[in-house]
Amino acid sequence: MRFEVEERRLELLSFPKLKVYLATIGGNMIIVAAIIYSPALLGSPMYFFLVFLSLLDACTSTVVTPKMIVGFFYERKTISFEGCMTQLFAIHFFTAVEVIVLSVMAYDRYVAICKPLHYSSIMSRRLCVLLTDLEEINMPEWPGLGSEEKTVWHPVAPGIQTLLW
C-alpha cells in the first residue's frame, strides 16, 4: 500500500514540474518572437544577446526536464549510461555557454554606460556575431583521430546569426 501512495505522489509532482517547464519554454519563445518580429529591437546588441540567451535557456531546460517528467509515470525510472552522459554533457555545455553570453551582455552594458559616445562603433554588428559565434568551436583532438581530422560542435541550430541578423 505504501508504494502505491508513493507512486501517486510522484505522479502528482510531475504536473507542477510540467507547468513550470511549459511556462519556461513558452516565455522564452515569446521573448524570441517579440524581439525577432520587432526590427527596431533586433538592431540593438542587447536584444540580440537576449534572444541568444533565451534560446540557450530553452535548450538547457529541454535537456533534462522532459525525461524527468516522463520518468514519473513509469515504474522503471532508470536512464542508460549513454543517456546520462549525454544529459550531463549537454547541461554543462549549455550552462557554460549561458555564462559566456551573460559575460558578453555585461560587457555590452559596461560599454553602453561607460562609453556611450563610442557604443555604436565598439558594439558593432560584426563584434556581436563574433562574440556569440559558437558554430566553429574546435574540440581538442580525441585519441584515435588523426591530426587532420577535427570535430566541430554545432550546439545551436546552424545559421542562428543569419536568422537574427
Side-chain angles (χ1 to χ4, degrees), residues 138-152:
N138 288 326
M139 290 177 58
E141 289 184 27
W142 292 95
L145 290 178
S147 59
E148 69 279 348
E149 298 179 42
K150 292 221 177 191
T151 307
V152 178

Side-chain angles (χ1 to χ4, degrees), residues 124-159:
S124 65
R125 184 176 294 188
R126 181 175 168 219
L127 180 65
C128 291
V129 171
L130 181 68
L131 290 173
T132 58
D133 188 17
L134 298 173
E135 294 187 63
E136 295 184 14
I137 298 175
N138 288 326
M139 290 177 58
E141 289 184 27
W142 292 95
L145 290 178
S147 59
E148 69 279 348
E149 298 179 42
K150 292 221 177 191
T151 307
V152 178
W153 288 345
H154 292 283
V156 184

Side-chain angles (χ1 to χ4, degrees), residues 2-58:
R2 182 167 186 235
F3 292 118
E4 291 175 14
V5 172
E6 194 66 31
E7 289 294 322
R8 182 71 180 140
R9 279 190 196 154
L10 288 176
E11 287 177 12
L12 290 175
L13 283 176
S14 67
F15 289 113
K17 290 183 189 319
L18 178 65
K19 287 180 184 178
V20 169
Y21 171 69
L22 292 175
T24 301
I25 297 298
N28 283 317
M29 293 304 113
I30 288 172
I31 290 170
V32 169
I35 293 173
I36 285 179
Y37 290 117
S38 176
L41 294 179
L42 193 56
S44 169
M46 180 178 72
Y47 290 105
F48 172 76
F49 295 132
L50 186 60
V51 166
F52 202 74
L53 189 66
S54 292
L55 290 172
L56 283 170
D57 190 38

Side-chain angles (χ1 to χ4, degrees), residues 45 107-108 110-112 114-128 131:
Y107 176 72
D108 173 60
Y110 163 76
V111 172
C114 296
K115 300 179 181 184
L117 298 177
H118 300 284
Y119 179 74
S120 58
S121 63
I122 293 173
M123 294 304 292
S124 65
R125 184 176 294 188
R126 181 175 168 219
L127 180 65
C128 291
L131 290 173

Side-chain angles (χ1 to χ4, degrees), residues 87-115:
Q87 283 186 351
L88 185 68
F89 171 78
I91 198 78
H92 280 91
F93 179 77
F94 286 125
T95 305
V97 174
E98 279 188 16
V99 168
I100 293 168
V101 172
L102 286 170
S103 300
V104 169
M105 290 175 79
Y107 176 72
D108 173 60
R109 292 297 84 202
Y110 163 76
V111 172
I113 292 169
C114 296
K115 300 179 181 184

